[in-house]
Amino acid sequence: MRGARAAVAAVVAAALAGCTSGPSLENRSAITAPPGDSRQLSIGSAGFTESELLAQVYAALLDHAGYRTDILTVGNRELYEPALESGQIDVVPEYAATLADWLNAKDHGPKAAPVASPDRDATMAALRKLAAPRGLTALPAGRAVDQNAFAVSASYAARHHLTTLSDLGRAKLPVRLAAGDECVQRPFCAPGLRKTYGINITAVDPKGVGTTPAKQAVQNGQDQMVLTTSTDATLDRFGLVLLTDDKKLQNADNIIPVVNRSRAGSARAAAALNRLNTVLTTADLAHLNEQVDSWRRLPADVAHHYLVSKGLLPKNSGS
């Protein structure tokens, strides 16, 4: 049975005190030791809906495989990644491209050239190379991706016959984009839309990424497009539709479990977690988010029902 989220403060404190440039000399022997198989595993959550849902899914799969699990909510990567290295957290749901570039910047400085790309296999290879010296293992990536995405109103898309970002570029329409203020400079945002797709971005309206005000601005015609994410479950509510990133401007932010090798690096734990890759899609993840954010269901209940519905847990299993 999964335990309460106890000892969060202790984990955070330990993470802050932990080393920030890789395992200490006294811990590096653990990296070359055989993969561990601790029966009690702590799963980290970053505290937002999707991370909490995935943590609950991982916990349920591991419980079913005979492990005892608890979930620890630690607010951000700066805290939970060192705790994962030290073994105070054993498993974390992550995003391949984001983590690869984050670890690369941690090793080589904030101005290091990105190692992630739209190529999933190349991104995973770069991530594993960065993770291994820290005693971490990135398990195989599934189909589900949570990456930046762009939405327009359904009426606008129908009027101009738009289904892809290439369609929007060919239409030569002036586009005011609702996004975070960093969009002006980020290569995946305004510069990339101009260079890759030829989209005429006339201005960036700094309303944030996928926020309600940003979506409302597109809904009411103040802006023509909004930067959101591929698992945004609220687009229908605002009458918005995603345009396909058909030229793959965005990096491969596939959902992956990352584990502490010395405690959760066994083939058994990997097999339990990898079962999710046979079923979870980006659309599934958006729907799971919707059930928590819009329907006000508990993440543990949503995760359990999903796994039962996909045949990964028996129907009579407890939540």
Side-chain angles (χ1 to χ4, degrees):
M1 191 70 182
R2 294 188 288 282
R5 301 182 191 99
V8 174
V11 171
V12 172
L16 284 170
C19 114
T20 59
S21 59
S24 59
L25 290 173
E26 60 267 27
N27 291 334
R28 287 183 181 175
S29 61
I31 297 171
T32 57
D37 193 25
S38 173
R39 285 299 188 250
Q40 176 70 47
L41 297 176
S42 292
I43 300 165
S45 162
F48 58 92
T49 296
E50 188 167 286
S51 183
E52 178 70 9
L53 273 166
L54 289 167
Q56 293 286 353
V57 167
Y58 291 177
L61 290 171
L62 289 167
D63 286 348
H64 184 60
Y67 294 90
R68 297 184 304 276
T69 63
D70 59 89
I71 295 175
L72 302 176
T73 301
V74 183
N76 56 51
R77 192 173 284 108
E78 286 77 8
L79 296 177
Y80 69 66
E81 190 277 332
L84 183 62
E85 287 187 31
S86 68
Q88 291 161 308
I89 294 174
D90 305 306
V91 185
V92 168
E94 262 291 3
Y95 303 90
T98 298
L99 182 61
D101 280 339
W102 191 85
L103 288 177
N104 187 51
K106 194 174 180 182
D107 283 354
H108 302 112
K111 295 184 179 180
V115 295
S117 73
D119 185 319
R120 185 184 73 172
D121 292 342
T123 296
M124 286 297 296
L127 172 57
R128 287 179 171 134
K129 184 176 180 180
L130 290 160
R134 296 177 174 276
L136 307 179
T137 298
L139 297 182
R143 290 176 288 165
V145 180
D146 187 351
Q147 60 192 175
N148 297 299
F150 297 90
V152 299
S153 71
S155 59
Y156 182 85
R159 186 163 65 251
H160 298 290
H161 310 289
L162 308 175
T163 59
T164 68
L165 290 170
S166 287
D167 291 338
L168 183 56
R170 283 191 293 268
K172 302 301 180 184
L173 297 164
V175 175
R176 183 176 163 93
L177 175 62
D181 54 9
E182 70 278 3
C183 177
V184 174
Q185 297 179 326
R186 293 285 175 85
F188 66 79
C189 204
L193 292 172
R194 292 187 182 106
K195 181 178 179 181
T196 302
Y197 289 106
I199 296 174
N200 180 19
I201 303 295
T202 60
V204 172
D205 187 5
K207 284 185 163 59
V209 179
T211 63
T212 294
K215 292 172 192 170
Q216 287 173 335
V218 176
Q219 182 183 38
N220 64 30
Q222 176 185 343
D223 297 332
Q224 287 70 52
M225 188 162 66
V226 59
L227 170 62
T228 183
T229 65
S230 57
T231 60
D232 189 330
T234 67
L235 296 178
D236 285 348
R237 193 186 312 164
F238 296 91
L240 306 182
V241 293
L242 291 177
L243 296 182
T244 301
D245 179 20
D246 53 307
K247 293 184 179 178
K248 299 189 182 301
L249 172 63
Q250 304 304 319
N251 283 340
D253 252 335
N254 295 72
I255 307 298
I256 54 167
V258 180
V259 304
N260 177 289
R261 185 176 182 274
S262 67
R263 289 184 48 81
S266 70
R268 181 178 179 180
L273 293 166
N274 289 342
R275 294 176 69 210
L276 186 62
N277 289 349
T278 65
V279 298
L280 187 67
T281 65
T282 302
D284 286 348
L285 194 52
H287 185 51
L288 297 177
N289 288 336
E290 181 183 26
Q291 291 179 59
V292 175
D293 289 336
S294 298
W295 304 0
R296 302 304 181 191
R297 295 185 61 194
L298 295 175
D301 293 341
V302 173
H304 180 262
H305 182 268
Y306 176 76
L307 293 173
V308 170
S309 74
K310 295 298 183 179
L312 298 186
L313 291 181
K315 290 182 179 179
N316 60 352
S317 62
S319 60

